[in-house]
């Protein structure tokens, strides 16, 4: 009876692939939205005691720069992962239960970002928080590659997608992974742990290098 029920469920999913994919995408979008909103909770408005002049308020706001820095980095990172998730699933045409596990692990990585961001922001000059942040970002990037691999290959991938488009999405995911790896190495080895956060700026550079490599390989094949 159980086997029959499972078979009926799979048949129903195969008959309505769009419904299953939409449910997964909507649920994922909600988790991304909640995680990216929770980032701002780590930024606590400063309390300035009276009597206070303009300078006191400005100094209080300036004291929030570690929290603001962490907020901006994580907002960009989560936003980047969401964009990649959206682009990848826009090319999916067939449902597969093999999407569930990597997608859930991806969401696990995302929902923990507010915590590791707050931990780093409060203790930004210490090595352990910055290493934890960079390491978690690398973990999220690797899971993102895992998920993209499932989405951008048969049987999930639409037959109408051009190989060049698939390559572009994969290279973007690879650039984030390489940038996070650079940040983790820099945080672990550099005298000032904050250097690792600057290393995240290499993500656009990695993307340009990977795109240039792909163009060169394409010309050679011709």
């Amino acid at each position: 009876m159980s086997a029959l029920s499972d078979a009926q469920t799979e048949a129903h999913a195969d008959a309505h692939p769009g419904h299953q994919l939409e449910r997964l995408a909507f649920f994922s979008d909600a988790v991304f939205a909640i995680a990216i909103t929770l980032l701002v909770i780590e930024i606590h408005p400063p309390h300035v005691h009276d009597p206070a002049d303009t300078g006191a308020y400005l100094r209080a706001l300036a004291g929030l720069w570690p929290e603001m820095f962490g907020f901006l980095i994580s907002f960009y990172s989560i936003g980047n992962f969401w964009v990649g998730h959206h682009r990848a699933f826009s090319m999916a045409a067939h449902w597969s239960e093999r999407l569930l596990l990597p997608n859930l692990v991806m969401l696990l990585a995302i929902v923990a970002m507010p915590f590791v961001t707050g931990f780093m922001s409060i203790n930004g000059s210490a090595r352990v928080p910055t290493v934890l942040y960079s390491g978690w970002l690398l973990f999220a990037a690797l899971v993102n590659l895992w998920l993209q691999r499932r989405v951008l290959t048969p049987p999930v991938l639409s037959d109408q997608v051009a190989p060049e488009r698939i390559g572009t999405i994969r290279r973007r995911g690879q650039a984030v992974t390489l940038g996070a790896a650079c940040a983790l190495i820099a945080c672990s080895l550099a005298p000032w742990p904050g250097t690792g956060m600057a290393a995240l700026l290499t993500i656009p550079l990695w993307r340009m290098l990977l795109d240039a490599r792909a163009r060169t390989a394409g010309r050679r094949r011709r």
Side-chain angles (χ1 to χ4, degrees):
M1 192 71 177
S2 176
L4 180 60
S5 177
D6 291 343
Q8 290 174 341
T9 300
E10 291 180 3
H12 178 76
D14 292 339
H16 303 85
H19 175 66
Q20 298 292 332
L21 290 170
E22 284 180 2
R23 286 192 63 190
L24 184 63
F26 289 157
F27 174 71
S28 302
D29 286 348
V31 173
F32 274 101
I34 292 170
I36 209 168
T37 303
L38 288 176
L39 290 174
V40 77
I41 295 178
E42 300 297 333
I43 305 177
H44 303 286
H47 179 70
V48 181
H49 297 281
D50 292 327
D53 55 10
T54 301
Y57 283 102
L58 293 176
R59 286 191 295 273
L61 289 174
L64 293 177
W65 77 264
E67 289 87 350
M68 289 298 302
F69 182 67
F71 167 76
L72 292 174
I73 289 178
S74 294
F75 191 97
Y76 169 79
S77 299
I78 295 178
N80 202 30
F81 284 127
W82 176 81
V83 169
H85 190 278
H86 174 72
R87 286 172 174 161
F89 273 86
S90 69
M91 301 181 188
H94 308 285
W95 168 253
S96 172
E97 289 195 356
R98 296 174 70 242
L99 295 174
L100 291 174
L101 179 59
N103 195 75
L104 282 174
V105 179
M106 180 71 207
L107 297 181
L108 166 68
I110 294 301
V111 297
M113 286 296 293
F115 169 75
V116 296
T117 301
F119 187 50
M120 179 194 67
S121 299
I122 296 173
N123 307 282
S125 60
R127 189 176 305 278
V128 171
T130 53
V131 168
L132 174 64
Y133 182 88
S134 301
W136 193 259
L137 190 61
L138 178 59
F139 169 68
L142 290 172
V143 175
N144 180 55
L145 292 181
W146 178 28
L147 177 59
Q148 285 185 350
R149 183 177 180 84
R150 292 285 175 88
V151 177
L152 299 177
T153 54
V156 177
L157 182 67
S158 170
D159 300 332
Q160 308 300 319
V161 180
E164 293 77 12
R165 181 65 173 159
I166 299 172
T168 299
I169 292 179
R170 285 178 170 167
R171 288 193 297 274
R172 284 172 174 163
Q174 292 165 359
V176 175
T177 305
L178 291 169
C182 288
L184 179 59
I185 293 172
C187 287
S188 302
L189 301 179
W192 182 55
T195 306
M197 298 301 98
L200 291 175
L201 298 176
T202 64
I203 292 176
L205 299 178
W206 283 114
R207 180 178 169 185
M208 288 188 291
L209 288 173
L210 292 171
D211 286 343
R213 180 184 177 187
R215 288 193 296 268
T216 301
R219 287 193 295 266
R220 287 177 179 174
R221 284 194 295 268
R222 295 172 193 166

